[in-house]
Amino acid sequence: IGKLVRDQGTNYHLQGEIAEILVFKKALNPAERLIVENLLAQKYNIDLGENNYITDFPVIYQNDIIGIGTTDGQKKHRASLIHSGGMWIAEHSNTFNSSNEFVFTGHDNTVHSVITADIPAEVENRWARSWYVNRSTTQGDGTSVRLSFDFLEAGLFGQIAPDKIYTLLYREEPGSLFQEIDVVASVSGGVVNFILPDDKFQTGFYTIGLTPQTFTTWISERSGDWNDPNTWENALSPVDVQSYEADTM
């Protein structure tokens, strides 16, 4: 910006245009700089060659893209400081140890709501919005992340309830049926977190599903060893033991 005065008073001005200026409160490390370069490259259609990690993002999922990662396994950007439309990502358990290990995500800009489309039978409903999550490494490299869904930011805080089971849903292609991933959810305030380990972490499309929590009551009218089903009423064998919902008794 401005001009450069060289020998003999010659002035040199910028021969070009400035599209955008970003100001940071600290010097960026190499990983942070590469993430910013990728976001700008995607925005302005610039080819970064082998350093381009989001060129293969589906077009409708190029909304609010965020990223985490490392260039050398040492200097890292561990967690997204901004959210991607209700979801954010973070490194889990210091697992970003490889060179050029990055994870990026962006959403499809669907209006936040709860729907029943494309879900397995055991899931009651899911968020309408979904995210494309891309990892630069392959399974086996140890990359593990935390996916966090913010119900308050999504305007769905009323869906947070003690009788709900939250499940992480994944599909490989848009329009296909989501499948549950066998990971446990933790709830903190209005945020539901999932730890996605390397062996279950695939590039693809993710969202959060909700399922009612059911309770099973076992009733015995006999005395004896509770851990031995053969002592229960009707002397059911272990393989034939039946459960009865409390409200049917």
Side-chain angles (χ1 to χ4, degrees), residues 70-223:
T70 179
T71 56
D72 59 3
Q74 300 295 322
K75 296 178 180 179
K76 307 178 182 182
H77 183 54
R78 298 178 182 273
S80 54
L81 301 180
I82 57 175
H83 301 175
S84 177
M87 194 264 276
W88 71 91
I89 54 177
E91 176 193 23
H92 174 62
S93 193
N94 198 33
T95 55
F96 284 28
N97 300 314
S98 302
S99 297
N100 299 320
E101 187 173 0
F102 288 92
V103 176
F104 285 90
T105 186
H107 63 81
D108 60 3
N109 208 32
T110 300
V111 174
H112 279 300
S113 63
V114 175
I115 63 174
T116 59
D118 303 330
I119 56 176
E122 61 272 18
V123 176
E124 182 180 69
N125 52 50
R126 68 170 176 91
W127 280 17
R129 178 170 292 183
S130 60
W131 287 259
Y132 179 70
V133 183
N134 179 65
R135 60 180 292 178
S136 65
T137 59
T138 57
Q139 285 181 309
D141 289 340
T143 303
S144 178
V145 296
R146 184 182 74 243
L147 304 184
S148 300
F149 296 84
D150 192 329
F151 279 68
L152 185 60
E153 182 179 344
L156 299 172
F157 190 74
Q159 294 293 322
I160 292 283
D163 63 340
K164 297 290 186 181
I165 297 176
Y166 306 98
T167 183
L168 184 62
L169 300 176
Y170 166 84
R171 62 185 176 189
E172 188 174 352
E173 297 292 340
S176 61
L177 189 70
F178 279 101
Q179 300 296 326
E180 289 187 84
I181 301 178
D182 186 19
V183 292
V184 177
S186 63
V187 182
S188 177
V191 178
V192 177
N193 303 288
F194 298 95
I195 302 302
L196 191 56
D198 172 69
D199 62 336
K200 297 176 181 178
F201 181 16
Q202 302 180 70
T203 291
F205 303 86
Y206 291 82
T207 193
I208 183 171
L210 299 90
T211 302
Q213 187 168 198
T214 59
F215 300 90
T216 300
T217 301
W218 296 91
I219 297 179
S220 173
E221 296 181 355
R222 290 185 178 181
S223 62

Side-chain angles (χ1 to χ4, degrees), residues 6-18:
R6 297 292 298 273
D7 297 338
Q8 288 122 18
T10 304
N11 295 329
Y12 292 86
H13 298 271
L14 172 67
Q15 299 296 315
E17 298 178 347
I18 298 175

